[in-house]
Amino acid sequence: MLSASTYWSVFACLSVEVPVPRPAPRRVSRSRAALLGAALTTSLALSAGPAHAGGRYTVTSLTFTVRAGGRSCAVDADLYRPAGADHAHPAPAVLATNGFGGSKSDGSTDAIGKAFAERGYVSLVYSGLGFGRSGCLISLDDPRIDGAAASRLVDFLGGKRSADDGTRADFVTLDAPGDPRVGMIGGSYGGAVQTATASADHRIDALVPLLTWNDLAYSLDPNNAVGAREVPGAFKWQWTNGFYLIGESQPLTTPSLDPSRINSLACLHFVSQVCDTVRTLDSGSYPPDRTARLLAYARSVSPASYLPRVQAPTLLVQGQADTLFNLNEATAGYRTLRAQGTPTALIWQSWGHSGGRTAPAAGELNLSQGNLEASYVGRRILAWFDRYLRKDGTTGTGPAFAYYRDWITDPAHTYATGDHVPALSRTLYLSGDGKLVDNRAKVARGSRGYTNQLLPTSHSENSLAGTIGLPDPAPYDTQGTYLAWTGSTLTRSLDVAGAPQVTLKVVSPTAERTQNSGDAADRLVLFAKLYDVAPDGTQTLVHRLVAPVRVPDVTRSFTVTLPGIVHRYAPGHRLRFVIAASDDAYVGNRGIKPVTVVSAPGDTGVLRLPVVGG
């Protein structure tokens, strides 16, 4: 078993760093606050009292005793006060916390405070509940717990309360008594807490959640079948158990006798509902009562359940290389917010939890070089906070939607923009001879099948390998355990931007006999995915993304929404659609369940693609 420190190195990517160059210090006034900053990579030693940073800002360690989840606990925070900010010259504020497993002092979270302070913001960064030296249990950004705790820090910024040592903030710009001008930014675990807080505290003025979830049930136990929201999917066991081990090890990695951090021997550091959820998932069984509790709890701590209460303008940034929280998560949140009239924009950048974070592509936000102003995403973040925290009505916030294209070599033009997420626009048909054809009349009659084995026979990724420097084999499928449909050789490029959909009908007498057993685990599971096949036959699984499906009813056709991608199929390449019996990153079928797919011109599977650019 990996040590706790090794597991932390695995998931250190969940704390988002956003470095920037250091501008010259300047005076802050009510009418002109500094632009948004993000993280520097150097650390600042803290003393018991305020620490000075070359006259640009001071840093003070503070503790706030808050009530959260029925417990009183201490929240460990650092207050960054820019030079020149006082009662007569207040400045807007930024609130931020860590990614899962981090703290206020890790290389990314404290750097947010430094960069904002250097740009004239009052910055308050804190260790999330259960992490670092903050008390209470880990509760997965529950708005009733983590959101409530963050709201008490907003009280401090608004002058409504003091820190435990009596420190008060009378130098933050106020929109009304007790209502500070404050925005939030952060990634992954530090992203979901933003919407959790804003759902109950409408004093929050702007949000920038990066790389976070919309529906935790989908994130950790995804079922990509449309309309099957109450049918559990395939357990994403690698990611989930990695997080669980990190959380349960917190009292060891950050020694503490704080009783508010301890639940019980059976569930050491999380709230009990988290441990119950993980145990249900690890059991491989989905009886109705436990499944209902699992789904209800996962969604109660998910933006999907509380976004209708979020009013703060929200810039969502999601990564294309992300098997943990894929593009569909941010897209769902974007559509909810936009439909209800909340000012919202969506960016699909290149890097995510699964790749590109430490060495972003040219022109992308580079966390090690601090190119915020020089990158497209960085400029969009700057404009968002400029508009909503500085209240500069002349600043535009950019298009509603933008996505990175890795086939464009000029960094100044890598992003395409538009006023909506591309719609499904190209239809292909699954022919009985294994071809993808563009006309139903070309579909050949045919029947083909596969069967699963007791062990996984397909591989998409190892969620832990890349982050700890271990090799991860290329994706593969074992003969006889999958079906593939391959398109003709392309004569011109095919650009796909969005989430493809496929409608399928399968035959599986074994699954038909077991699917009504009362345990959802007895239903058929399959994995849908798209490959890019090069002229030499080499195939690439785009960003290693797959769509696990627990089929609601094998006697009926069903539609699958695949994870969103942005990918160019180049001339000479072919598109290949695959359904596989298993995937070793997920818990799949219980028992052997052979599958047959029958095709005929009037009754065959249909693949729809969001094709852009003609």
Side-chain angles (χ1 to χ4, degrees):
M1 180 178 291
L2 295 177
S3 67
S5 61
T6 302
Y7 267 113
W8 163 236
S9 70
V10 170
F11 292 99
C13 62
L14 303 183
S15 301
V16 173
E17 303 175 14
V18 209
V20 298
R22 298 186 176 187
R26 58 183 179 182
R27 187 179 182 83
V28 179
S29 68
R30 183 183 298 268
S31 62
R32 182 171 180 83
L35 291 175
L36 168 70
L40 301 170
T41 55
T42 56
S43 61
L44 177 67
L46 300 179
S47 62
H52 295 272
R56 296 185 298 274
Y57 56 84
T58 60
V59 186
T60 305
S61 294
L62 299 174
T63 301
F64 300 88
T65 299
V66 301
R67 225 21 220 176
R71 299 179 176 221
S72 290
C73 58
V75 174
D76 186 27
D78 285 338
L79 176 66
Y80 294 76
R81 179 176 176 175
D86 55 28
H87 182 70
H89 305 92
V94 168
L95 183 64
T97 189
N98 51 275
F100 199 93
S103 73
K104 70 167 190 178
S105 302
D106 61 38
S108 55
T109 310
D110 68 345
I112 290 175
K114 299 170 190 175
F116 277 128
E118 288 186 333
R119 292 171 174 271
Y121 280 94
V122 175
S123 303
L124 186 63
V125 299
Y126 68 100
S127 297
L129 300 184
F131 294 107
R133 298 191 179 279
S134 286
C136 278
L137 304 175
I138 300 172
S139 49
L140 302 188
D141 285 341
D142 190 324
R144 299 157 296 188
I145 303 174
D146 302 86
S151 187
R152 301 292 74 79
L153 303 185
V154 176
D155 288 342
F156 167 76
L157 293 170
K160 293 180 63 175
R161 63 164 293 171
S162 62
D164 289 359
D165 66 357
T167 299
R168 301 190 71 89
D170 63 350
F171 39 80
V172 176
T173 301
L174 300 179
D175 291 322
D179 181 0
R181 183 84 55 78
V182 58
M184 298 183 73
I185 187 172
S188 197
Y189 198 74
V193 72
Q194 299 175 46
T195 49
T197 305
S199 69
D201 193 333
H202 294 159
R203 294 174 296 176
I204 306 296
D205 294 285
L207 307 175
V208 183
L210 300 94
L211 313 179
T212 196
W213 68 88
N214 179 68
D215 182 349
L216 207 56
Y218 173 80
S219 307
L220 303 182
D221 194 32
N223 188 358
N224 288 272
V226 175
R229 191 169 185 268
E230 300 311 313
V231 179
F235 176 35
K236 196 182 291 183
W237 69 270
Q238 293 177 356
W239 279 115
T240 304
N241 283 308
F243 284 120
Y244 184 67
L245 289 173
I246 292 169
E248 288 293 68
S249 70
Q250 284 300 301
L252 301 177
T253 56
T254 308
S256 174
L257 298 177
D258 182 352
S260 74
R261 293 170 59 104
I262 307 300
N263 187 351
S264 68
L265 291 178
C267 186
L268 186 61
H269 202 50
F270 288 94
V271 295
S272 298
Q273 296 98 315
V274 174
C275 296
D276 292 343
T277 297
V278 173
R279 287 172 188 141
T280 295
L281 292 170
D282 277 325
S283 73
S285 182
Y286 294 102
D289 57 338
R290 290 166 61 190
T291 299
R293 289 197 300 271
L294 179 157
L295 294 174
Y297 176 68
R299 288 176 178 139
S300 74
V301 294
S302 296
S305 69
Y306 53 75
L307 276 182
R309 302 193 299 272
V310 172
Q311 301 174 1
T314 304
L315 174 61
L316 292 158
V317 181
Q318 205 78 351
Q320 296 173 28
D322 205 319
T323 60
L324 176 60
F325 305 134
N326 63 45
L327 297 181
N328 296 9
E329 300 261 26
T331 304
Y334 164 76
R335 286 173 170 154
T336 296
L337 291 167
R338 196 177 191 194
Q340 69 195 30
T342 302
T344 309
L346 173 65
I347 299 176
W348 292 347
Q349 65 176 23
S350 66
W351 59 268
H353 288 91
S354 305
R357 183 184 68 90
T358 56
E364 279 284 75
L365 183 66
N366 192 313
L367 306 185
S368 62
Q369 296 180 6
N371 70 334
L372 193 64
E373 290 85 355
S375 67
Y376 177 81
V377 175
R379 291 192 297 272
R380 291 292 301 276
I381 293 172
L382 290 171
W384 198 261
F385 279 86
D386 193 29
R387 175 69 171 270
Y388 295 112
L389 296 186
R390 295 179 61 201
K391 301 295 184 182
D392 184 350
T394 65
T395 298
T397 57
F401 175 64
Y403 59 93
Y404 176 86
R405 300 168 295 175
D406 64 3
W407 59 88
I408 303 297
T409 58
D410 181 357
H413 298 93
T414 51
Y415 276 85
T417 63
D419 59 3
H420 63 274
V421 176
L424 299 170
S425 57
R426 182 72 57 87
T427 301
L428 299 172
Y429 300 92
L430 280 57
S431 181
D433 55 5
K435 295 179 181 178
L436 274 177
V437 297
D438 60 3
N439 190 310
R440 188 180 290 274
K442 297 179 182 179
V443 173
R445 295 181 181 274
S447 174
R448 298 185 301 146
Y450 70 79
T451 190
N452 63 298
Q453 299 179 13
L454 293 179
L455 295 176
T457 53
S458 288
H459 173 75
S460 60
E461 64 152 355
N462 185 318
S463 305
L464 306 180
T467 49
I468 58 177
L470 297 177
D472 189 4
Y476 63 82
D477 301 290
T478 301
Q479 191 68 31
T481 66
Y482 72 97
L483 291 176
W485 291 263
T486 306
S488 57
T489 301
L490 294 169
T491 58
R492 60 179 181 176
S493 60
L494 179 73
D495 297 344
V496 178
Q501 278 193 344
V502 63
T503 299
L504 295 168
K505 175 72 181 298
V506 301
V507 178
S508 180
T510 303
E512 186 176 349
R513 289 193 297 270
T514 62
Q515 67 181 10
N516 296 317
S517 69
D519 189 334
D522 289 322
R523 297 183 181 182
L524 176 68
V525 176
L526 56 83
F527 298 84
K529 47 195 169 181
L530 285 175
Y531 285 97
D532 182 333
V533 183
D536 64 0
T538 302
Q539 62 178 19
T540 301
L541 180 61
V542 181
H543 292 313
R544 296 180 177 252
L545 293 166
V546 300
V549 180
R550 192 174 297 275
V551 180
D553 183 351
V554 295
T555 67
R556 300 180 178 182
S557 63
F558 56 96
T559 298
V560 178
T561 300
L562 279 71
I565 60 173
V566 178
H567 184 70
R568 166 166 284 185
Y569 290 85
H573 288 229
R574 292 173 292 159
L575 185 149
R576 176 171 292 163
F577 172 71
V578 168
I579 57 172
S582 64
D583 189 284
D584 57 8
Y586 299 83
V587 175
N589 285 293
R590 184 157 72 178
I592 302 299
K593 295 180 172 67
V595 169
T596 300
V597 177
V598 180
S599 297
D603 184 14
T604 190
V606 178
L607 174 65
R608 297 179 175 88
L609 303 171
V611 174
V612 295

